[in-house]
């Protein structure tokens, strides 16, 4: 708690200094002719034009050219008919636009264009739209790592189109989006995944890193021990692969969080220390807040950390219960009896897994519900069903698809691996078809997507307080010997 308090105090001091040096809001500049200078964050091409998201760092009033003001805000510039110069814009480049700021939808004129309100208004920078034209472009030469990652992305696209061209471009984009994220899909597909409560799987998430980490544990560490190589080398190689995968995913916040937690856990293994999910989550939060404060204070980061914390709570509960229920009787004689025993054990294991998966899914939905309402004003009532059904599919689809993309990229240079790549592609696209059936069925149900009003701050705080108190009160009333420690309410242990 002392270390955390020191971090918070230092962060608050840093924020005050930054706010004094570069104000975060420019609400009074809305509608005023300006010259804007900022860095490109992302580029989204579509059939209707080009959407460029940028972070504005400097404004100059046209009426007063000598009045240069620094700022820190998020802006979106839409180009309906992009020319050659606009089409060549890439993330990291610096743009100079001449035009005016326009408040985003839902904001009153003259006020901050931030779409969020209330308690969650600090989760992202003030957001505006820009109406204007490009007058200057500073091209940032890509570094060696960026060129290498771009080459890897291009090779993966070529491999997907070569190995199984019959799958179609839409299926190839969808498969790549599920594994790596950052792929532009058609609006109908996005709407179907949104209504089914599975829109999050179209963007790279921490689950992808977790499955990759487990696959490396099974394959890499086993081979490393077999060759009797230094254990530290395996840890370093594992971390390098995890962060390389994060680079392929575009270093999005959820992937960075999972990669930081994975690296923290591996360092714990290296030094012979047991690590917990909660401590890894705290370390990841600190690292990301120092490395990229603007990216850390975003809606996607809040959702990712809330979901991971809910998973950590479910794992804490599962650790106190037996995960395997083996039959204590001696092994029966005879092939049929042993087969029956194995089938019963498999059913018991599946039942325990289904129970734990359902409990984890419920916790994640409970912790994310107020955030999704406050940030997006939308509710998907059947997301619990779709996520529970899709969990085993994704557990198979993600590692198979990742292996398929890897083998397909290798097959371009090593032709004799092409049959393996084709076989993996058939399995991957087969599982993808099953997932699409689930998405289409759930999204077709009535009231699958509801638009609601964002609750007030009081209700949000009360919701999370009740969520924190409920398990404590339940254990207190169900077990007379269980002592409840509520430091906020009572200073001492209170027994029933």
């Amino acid at each position: 708690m002392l270390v955390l308090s020191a971090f918070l105090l230092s962060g608050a001091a840093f924020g005050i200094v930054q706010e004094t040096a570069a104000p975060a809001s420019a609400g009074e500049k809305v509608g005023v002719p300006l010259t804007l200078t900022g860095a490109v964050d992302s580029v989204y091409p579509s059939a209707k034009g080009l959407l460029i998201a940028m972070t504005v760092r400097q404004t100059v009033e046209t009426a007063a050219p000598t009045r240069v003001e620094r700022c820190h805000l998020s802006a979106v510039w839409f180009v309906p008919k992009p020319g050659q110069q606009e089409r060549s814009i890439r993330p990291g480049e610096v743009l100079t636009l001449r035009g005016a700021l326009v408040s985003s939808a839902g904001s009153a004129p003259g006020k901050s264009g931030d779409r969020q309100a209330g308690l969650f208004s600090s989760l992202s920078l003030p957001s505006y739209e820009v109406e204007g034209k490009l007058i200057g472009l500073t091209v940032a030469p890509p570094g060696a790592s960026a060129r290498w990652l771009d080459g890897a992305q291009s090779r993966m696209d070529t491999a997907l189109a070569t190995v199984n061209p019959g799958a179609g471009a839409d299926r190839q984009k969808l498969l790549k989006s599920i594994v790596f994220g950052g792929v532009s899909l058609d609006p109908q597909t996005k709407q179907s995944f949104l209504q089914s409560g599975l829109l999050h799987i179209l963007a790279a998430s921490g689950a992808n890193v977790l499955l990759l980490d487990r696959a490396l544990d099974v394959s890499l560490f086993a081979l490393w021990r077999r060759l009797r190589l230094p254990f530290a080398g395996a840890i370093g190689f594992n971390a390098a692969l995890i962060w390389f995968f994060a680079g392929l995913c575009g270093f999005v916040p959820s992937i960075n969080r999972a990669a930081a937690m994975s690296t923290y856990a591996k360092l714990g293994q290296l030094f012979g220390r047991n690590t917990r999910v909660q401590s890894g989550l705290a370390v990841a939060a600190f690292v990301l807040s120092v490395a990229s404060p603007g990216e850390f204070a975003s809606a996607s980061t809040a959702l990712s950390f809330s979901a991971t914390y809910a998973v950590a709570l479910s794992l804490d509960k599962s650790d106190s219960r037996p995960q395997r229920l083996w039959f204590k009787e001696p092994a029966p004689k005879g092939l049929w009896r042993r087969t029956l025993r194995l089938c019963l054990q498999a059913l018991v294991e599946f039942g325990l897994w289904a129970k734990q998966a359902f409990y984890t899914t419920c916790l994640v939905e409970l912790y994310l519900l107020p955030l999704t309402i406050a940030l997006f004003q939308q509710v998907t009532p059947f997301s619990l069903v779709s996520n529970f059904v899709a969990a085993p599919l994704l557990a198979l689809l993600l590692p198979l698809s990742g292996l398929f993309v890897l083998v397909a990229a290798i097959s371009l240079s090593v032709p004799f691996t092409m049959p393996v790549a084709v076989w993996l592609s058939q399995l991957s696209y087969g599982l993808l078809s099953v997932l699409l059936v689930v998405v289409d069925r759930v999204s077709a149900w009535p009231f699958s997507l509801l638009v609601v009003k964002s609750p007030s701050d009081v209700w949000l705080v009360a919701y999370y307080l009740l969520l924190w108190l409920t398990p404590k009160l339940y254990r207190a009333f169900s077990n007379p010997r269980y002592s409840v420690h509520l430091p906020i309410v009572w200073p001492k242990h209170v027994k029933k």
Side-chain angles (χ1 to χ4, degrees):
M1 291 301 296
L2 290 175
V3 174
L4 179 60
S5 301
F7 287 156
L8 292 177
L9 289 175
S10 61
F14 178 77
I16 292 172
V17 174
Q18 282 289 96
E19 179 67 19
T20 304
S25 178
E28 68 277 1
K29 300 292 185 181
V30 172
V32 179
L34 298 171
T35 299
L36 310 170
T37 303
V40 177
D41 298 325
S42 54
V43 180
Y44 302 97
S46 64
K48 297 182 179 180
L50 199 63
L51 192 67
I52 300 175
M54 57 185 296
T55 301
V56 179
R57 296 289 185 175
Q58 179 178 292
T59 61
V60 180
E61 291 190 18
T62 304
T66 59
R67 187 179 178 185
V68 180
E69 294 185 5
R70 290 189 294 173
C71 62
H72 190 200
L73 56 94
S74 177
V76 175
W77 178 42
F78 178 69
V79 188
K81 296 180 180 180
Q84 182 62 33
Q85 191 177 19
E86 287 83 6
R87 284 195 294 267
S88 63
I89 294 176
R90 300 182 57 178
E93 297 176 347
V94 179
L95 302 183
T96 303
L97 306 177
R98 180 172 293 166
L101 293 174
V102 180
S103 296
S104 300
S107 299
K111 293 185 179 181
S112 172
D114 195 0
R115 285 188 174 90
Q116 286 79 38
L119 180 67
F120 297 96
S121 60
S122 61
L123 291 178
S124 62
L125 295 175
S127 179
Y128 301 87
E129 297 174 3
V130 179
E131 291 184 357
K133 62 179 181 179
L134 180 67
I135 62 173
L137 171 62
T138 303
V139 179
S145 60
R147 291 195 300 268
W148 194 56
L149 290 175
D150 289 343
Q153 289 278 5
S154 177
R155 189 176 181 83
M156 284 190 298
D157 293 337
T158 305
L160 289 174
T162 303
V163 172
N164 195 344
D170 294 337
R171 290 292 180 94
Q172 293 170 6
K173 287 184 177 180
L174 182 58
L175 190 70
K176 186 181 177 183
S177 178
I178 291 176
V179 179
F180 300 103
V183 180
S184 298
L185 302 173
D186 59 283
Q188 184 178 359
T189 301
K190 288 185 176 180
Q191 186 65 23
S192 298
F193 276 84
L194 173 62
Q195 293 182 203
S196 63
L198 295 173
L199 184 63
H200 58 91
I201 71 175
L202 295 182
S205 64
N208 304 44
V209 176
L210 177 62
L211 291 172
L212 176 61
D213 199 6
R214 290 183 176 179
L216 292 175
D217 283 341
V218 174
S219 57
L220 174 65
F221 279 93
L223 178 62
W224 218 267
R225 287 193 298 267
R226 192 78 175 179
L227 297 177
R228 297 183 179 181
L229 297 175
F231 183 67
I235 296 294
F237 190 61
N238 180 284
L241 288 179
I242 291 294
W243 285 104
F244 172 70
F245 177 77
L248 292 178
C249 297
F251 291 113
V252 295
S254 58
I255 291 292
N256 293 340
R257 186 265 309 157
M261 293 179 64
S262 172
T263 305
Y264 171 76
K266 294 304 178 186
L267 288 176
Q269 292 182 10
L270 179 62
F271 293 101
R273 301 282 185 176
N274 294 326
T275 59
R276 297 182 63 201
V277 178
Q278 288 89 337
S279 59
L281 196 63
V283 171
F286 172 67
V287 171
L288 294 181
S289 63
V290 172
S292 180
E295 186 180 78
F296 178 75
S298 63
S300 60
T301 304
L303 294 171
S304 176
F305 273 81
S306 299
T308 308
Y309 180 73
V311 173
L313 291 180
S314 67
L315 292 177
D316 282 349
K317 183 175 181 180
S318 65
D319 289 341
S320 61
R321 297 188 176 188
Q323 291 299 301
R324 297 179 179 273
L325 182 61
W326 300 106
F327 295 89
K328 296 182 180 180
E329 294 80 5
K333 297 180 180 180
L335 179 61
W336 289 107
R337 292 184 178 181
R338 291 184 178 180
T339 303
L340 179 61
R341 180 190 178 96
L342 290 176
C343 292
L344 290 176
Q345 290 177 348
L347 287 175
V348 170
E349 291 288 337
F350 178 78
L352 291 174
W353 172 87
K355 181 181 178 181
Q356 181 61 33
F358 182 75
Y359 177 72
T360 303
T361 305
C362 288
L363 269 184
V364 171
E365 292 295 326
L366 285 174
Y367 272 86
L368 293 185
L369 179 62
L371 283 175
T372 53
I373 294 177
L375 294 172
F376 309 111
Q377 291 80 48
Q378 294 176 343
V379 176
T380 50
F382 307 116
S383 60
L384 178 63
V385 178
S386 58
N387 279 278
F388 179 71
V389 175
L393 289 175
L394 291 174
L396 295 174
L397 178 60
L398 287 175
L400 274 178
S401 301
L403 184 61
F404 158 55
V405 174
L406 176 63
V407 177
I410 295 175
S411 66
L412 297 179
S413 302
V414 187
F416 68 83
T417 60
M418 182 64 72
V420 180
V422 173
W423 179 69
L424 289 173
S425 70
Q426 293 174 351
L427 289 178
S428 300
Y429 287 120
L431 289 173
L432 183 62
S433 300
V434 177
L435 179 63
L436 288 176
V437 170
V438 175
V439 171
D440 293 338
R441 294 290 177 86
V442 177
S443 62
W445 291 351
F447 309 107
S448 59
L449 180 64
L450 302 177
V451 179
V452 297
K453 185 179 180 181
S454 179
S456 64
D457 297 349
V458 177
W459 286 106
L460 291 173
V461 174
Y463 178 90
Y464 279 108
L465 183 62
L466 181 63
L467 202 62
W468 176 69
L469 283 175
T470 299
K472 294 178 176 292
L473 296 177
Y474 173 77
R475 288 194 294 266
F477 284 97
S478 61
N479 184 9
R481 297 183 178 181
Y482 178 80
S483 59
V484 182
H485 183 43
L486 302 175
I488 299 178
V489 184
W490 297 287
K492 297 181 179 180
H493 290 271
V494 180
K495 292 187 178 180
K496 182 178 176 182

